[in-house]
Amino acid sequence: ASIFRKKLLGRFAKFAISKAGMIHAWGSNIKNGLMRFGAEENKILVMHRGIDTNVFKPPELHHAINRNKPVFISTRSLEPEYLIDKLIESFALLLKEFPNARLIIAGDGTQKEHLLALSKDLKADKNIEFTGKISSGELANLLRNSDFYISLIDTEGISSSLIEACATGIIPIVADMPASKELVTENINGILLRDFSVQNVALKMKEAISNANLSDGALRNSQIIKEKYDRNNNISYFVREYRKLAGFEPDGEIKVHICHITTSHSPDDTRIFQRECRTLARRGFRVSLIARVMEKTEPYEKDGIKVIPIKFLFGKAARKIILPKAAMLKALKQKADIYHFHDPELLPWMCIMAKNHPVKVIWDAHELYSATIKEFYFPIFPFFADIIRCFYDKLEKLMCKN
């Protein structure tokens, strides 16, 4: 059933991308993947949403790294896919040689209690600080007062967490993958991880402490971020592209209704609501957001955005089939000019909408989904993952063809 579903989804995706007026990719690695599947380059917008470079910036006076008391920081959510447990185990091993080292874990999530217990079991709890959820200003200050940013996930696009860290001038230690290489050059301005064993991660942390040349390269990162990842500049560019997509002249009046649709994210999602919907609303667009909630609620308005909740359903089949259909029915009632889709399970409905309604659609490729199938969905049976990934690749090729 899963293989059939993936194959069917692939055909829907191929058609949907062929009808999309724009394909938005966060980084070149995603663009390259889309082009391998037949996407036209001029239909792919490659640009990260950016960060607030007025908040995330280097300190006025750069502090030298105290090699005896190095400070590491992780700013990823406390969820299984971010491998925070492995980071803690690696840090505990590092403490044997650097007993005064510190690790700041800035974030929250379902794994928090487990990670607190793990820190205590490894006798590393006195050297590890869990901040919980904090404001962006507090996070920027923590980054500026740290020496090394570390993240172990290796299946994503260019993350805002990495960009924020680079903007503050600290040294990144991240996975060796195409997205990371857009910002990090091995042993020049950071460390790239290829082996994620506890022993090797601890070794790379030690090498970062010992490599005095990394600091100069890392400080130059902040200027790169200012030039390429400033949110105000990038959002302004997005707005111009949205206007073109809707057929408006550059200085024409904006009366476009944009509807964002997600069945995997909550209405207050940082990426979709805080950074995309709010920015569009401030620019004068009429914005709706359809998103899942745990408890049924009525539509409401927040920050100039109409939020249409859909009740979360338990059970994988319900979430993948029933919930997307419910979202699409609500979306059609909005009579928007542009529909912005965020989740792969919505692709069949995106195809139907593109074929039967005179609207513009955007497929927002948050990451190269085929690369995550093997690790997160079929780690025990990689053969099946390869088959499903093949179907998904064919799906994207079909979507991108025209």
Side-chain angles (χ1 to χ4, degrees):
S2 295
I3 294 176
F4 174 76
R5 177 181 173 277
K6 291 292 183 179
K7 186 174 182 179
L8 184 64
L9 181 61
R11 294 187 177 277
F12 276 123
K14 180 178 177 181
F15 177 80
I17 289 182
S18 73
K19 296 296 183 180
M22 179 191 297
I23 305 170
H24 188 178
W26 290 127
S28 297
N29 64 313
I30 298 175
K31 172 189 172 182
N32 294 338
L34 291 169
M35 291 184 67
R36 285 196 298 271
F37 303 138
E40 293 182 20
E41 187 172 6
N42 61 1
K43 285 190 175 182
I44 304 175
L45 171 62
V46 182
M47 184 174 285
H48 194 277
R49 63 182 173 272
I51 63 168
D52 189 343
T53 55
N54 292 320
V55 174
F56 293 94
K57 56 187 178 181
E60 294 182 6
L61 294 175
H62 176 65
H63 68 276
I65 297 175
N66 184 336
R67 307 289 168 179
N68 294 318
K69 297 181 180 180
V71 181
F72 295 82
I73 185 170
S74 166
T75 61
R76 311 315 300 262
S77 298
L78 308 188
E79 301 297 340
E81 60 265 31
Y82 293 107
L83 305 178
I84 305 298
D85 51 352
K86 184 170 287 187
L87 172 58
I88 290 173
E89 291 173 10
S90 302
F91 179 72
L93 189 58
L94 180 75
L95 286 176
K96 294 180 180 179
E97 292 191 53
F98 295 88
N100 295 317
R102 290 178 57 220
L103 172 61
I104 300 172
I105 298 178
D108 209 346
T110 60
Q111 297 288 295
K112 185 174 182 179
E113 294 304 319
H114 164 67
L115 297 172
L116 284 167
L118 177 62
S119 300
K120 189 172 183 179
D121 289 344
L122 295 173
K123 296 181 172 53
D125 52 310
K126 293 182 179 179
N127 296 73
I128 299 177
E129 175 186 354
F130 288 83
T131 69
K133 189 174 183 179
I134 57 177
S135 69
S136 57
E138 292 172 312
L139 179 59
N141 284 331
L142 283 176
L143 286 166
R144 279 190 288 269
N145 288 299
S146 300
D147 302 312
F148 305 96
Y149 164 83
I150 185 163
S151 173
L152 303 186
I153 189 170
D154 65 346
T155 56
E156 65 178 351
I158 301 177
S159 73
S160 295
S161 296
L162 174 58
I163 296 172
E164 290 166 353
C166 289
T168 61
I170 67 174
I171 298 167
I173 304 172
V174 292
D176 182 2
M177 57 182 177
S180 298
K181 288 180 178 179
E182 293 193 30
L183 289 172
V184 181
T185 302
E186 178 76 89
N187 293 323
I188 300 298
N189 63 350
I191 297 288
L192 295 175
L193 296 167
R194 300 172 185 85
D195 176 358
F196 294 90
S197 66
V198 169
Q199 292 76 14
N200 188 67
V201 172
L203 177 63
K204 291 298 181 180
M205 295 169 79
K206 179 182 175 181
E207 288 180 6
I209 296 170
S210 304
N211 191 338
N213 296 323
L214 292 176
S215 294
D216 291 339
L219 280 175
R220 289 193 289 271
N221 288 345
S222 58
Q223 186 58 37
I224 296 173
I225 301 303
K226 184 73 174 177
E227 293 171 358
K228 294 182 62 178
Y229 296 96
D230 179 81
R231 185 185 299 163
N232 287 334
N233 293 339
N234 290 9
I235 292 298
S236 294
Y237 186 85
F238 293 159
V239 169
R240 290 196 295 272
E241 293 303 305
Y242 268 69
R243 295 177 72 127
K244 290 179 187 177
L245 191 66
F248 284 90
E249 294 297 324
D251 297 322
E253 182 181 1
I254 298 177
K255 293 183 179 179
V256 180
H257 180 187
I258 302 170
C259 180
H260 284 258
I261 309 167
T262 175
T263 54
S264 297
H265 300 84
S266 64
D268 60 350
D269 180 76
T270 300
R271 171 186 292 164
I272 299 172
F273 180 81
Q274 300 292 345
R275 293 170 176 159
E276 294 184 349
C277 293
R278 289 182 67 197
T279 302
L280 288 168
R282 285 198 298 268
R283 298 281 180 168
F285 288 95
R286 181 183 168 198
V287 184
S288 300
L289 170 62
I290 297 171
R292 57 103 178 137
V293 294
M294 299 305 294
E295 299 292 336
K296 184 176 180 180
T297 58
E298 295 299 318
Y300 59 92
E301 185 167 315
K302 182 178 179 181
D303 295 342
I305 299 153
K306 183 181 180 182
V307 180
I308 302 101
I310 48 175
K311 190 175 185 304
F312 179 80
L313 298 175
F314 291 95
K316 187 174 292 186
R319 291 199 304 272
K320 300 299 183 183
I321 299 173
I322 300 174
L323 201 61
K325 180 181 179 181
M328 189 52 55
L329 291 174
K330 288 181 179 290
L332 289 173
K333 291 181 180 180
Q334 303 311 306
K335 300 185 183 300
D337 302 293
I338 299 174
Y339 288 90
H340 191 137
F341 294 81
H342 291 272
D343 309 307
E345 54 265 32
L346 292 168
L347 287 174
W349 302 101
M350 177 177 166
C351 295
I352 294 171
M353 177 176 285
K355 184 174 182 179
N356 297 293
H357 299 274
V359 296
K360 303 286 187 179
V361 296
I362 296 174
W363 163 233
D364 196 338
H366 289 194
E367 52 186 297
L368 196 58
Y369 290 106
S370 62
T372 68
I373 290 172
K374 188 169 185 177
E375 180 172 355
F376 294 117
Y377 296 100
F378 294 91
I380 300 176
F381 303 106
F383 173 74
F384 293 108
D386 289 337
I387 294 174
I388 292 170
R389 183 165 54 190
C390 179
F391 283 134
Y392 192 87
D393 288 348
K394 288 183 181 297
L395 152 137
E396 290 205 321
K397 184 175 181 180
L398 182 65
M399 287 179 63
C400 298
K401 187 172 182 180
N402 297 313

